[in-house]
Amino acid sequence: MDVCQMMKHCNQVLQVPLGKIELPKINLLFRAIGIVTKWEIQIFNNGIPPNMPTFQKLIVNFECDFEEEKKSLLKTLEEYRICFENKNLPDHHVLFGKMKEKDWGFLEYKHLHHHLKQFNV
């Protein structure tokens, strides 16, 4: 994954709570692991675990345009901010279970930080 693909990936992840991308249902075992991972990240203020599996739908393995993806990510971040402030985010995530605004904010921040740090951006 290059920096452009990373921005596209982060954009797609932010589109999940906006209702623009729907993730497939997962089995109970993976869901339990996701819920525990969410708690662990929040309690210990850990980052996203290295090599954490990604939903197939969110994998970006094709060429993209840097400037276009940068603009698109900033636009989606603004949309997300508005939904967050208006308390208009879903109360559930396929992997992480029940979600409140603070959960979305914390996990989205950790995810974006993880990838920006990964690429030294």
Side-chain angles (χ1 to χ4, degrees):
M1 177 164 55
D2 63 25
V3 72
C4 183
Q5 292 167 328
M6 174 273 293
M7 287 190 300
K8 176 82 173 169
H9 166 73
C10 289
N11 190 341
Q12 289 176 328
V13 169
L14 283 163
Q15 288 182 32
V16 171
L18 297 176
K20 295 181 177 184
I21 292 180
E22 188 175 333
L23 298 175
K25 294 189 188 296
I26 58 173
N27 70 43
L28 193 55
L29 175 63
F30 285 120
R31 197 161 161 214
I33 291 169
I35 292 168
V36 169
T37 300
K38 176 182 86 171
W39 290 342
E40 181 214 345
I41 291 169
Q42 291 176 329
I43 290 170
F44 298 109
N45 197 23
N46 292 341
I48 302 294
N51 299 315
M52 185 174 171
T54 302
F55 284 93
Q56 189 68 35
K57 218 175 204 181
L58 303 175
I59 293 175
V60 179
N61 55 7
F62 50 85
E63 294 297 314
C64 53
D65 178 79
F66 180 85
E67 287 303 320
E68 184 180 314
E69 293 309 326
K70 180 176 137 185
K71 257 192 256 184
S72 185
L73 177 58
L74 290 172
K75 181 180 178 220
T76 302
L77 276 166
E78 179 60 17
E79 248 182 278
Y80 174 82
R81 183 190 64 79
I82 291 167
C83 281
F84 181 87
E85 286 177 354
N86 292 328
K87 298 182 188 272
N88 198 22
L89 296 171
D91 61 359
H92 183 267
H93 186 280
V94 170
L95 178 63
F96 298 121
K98 291 182 183 180
M99 298 284 281
K100 296 180 179 179
E101 274 79 15
K102 69 178 180 127
D103 299 323
W104 282 111
F106 187 79
L107 291 173
E108 293 293 352
Y109 164 77
K110 285 293 190 177
H111 180 255
L112 193 55
H113 181 265
H114 165 79
H115 285 300
L116 291 174
K117 186 175 161 188
Q118 176 186 13
F119 286 93
N120 226 6
V121 183

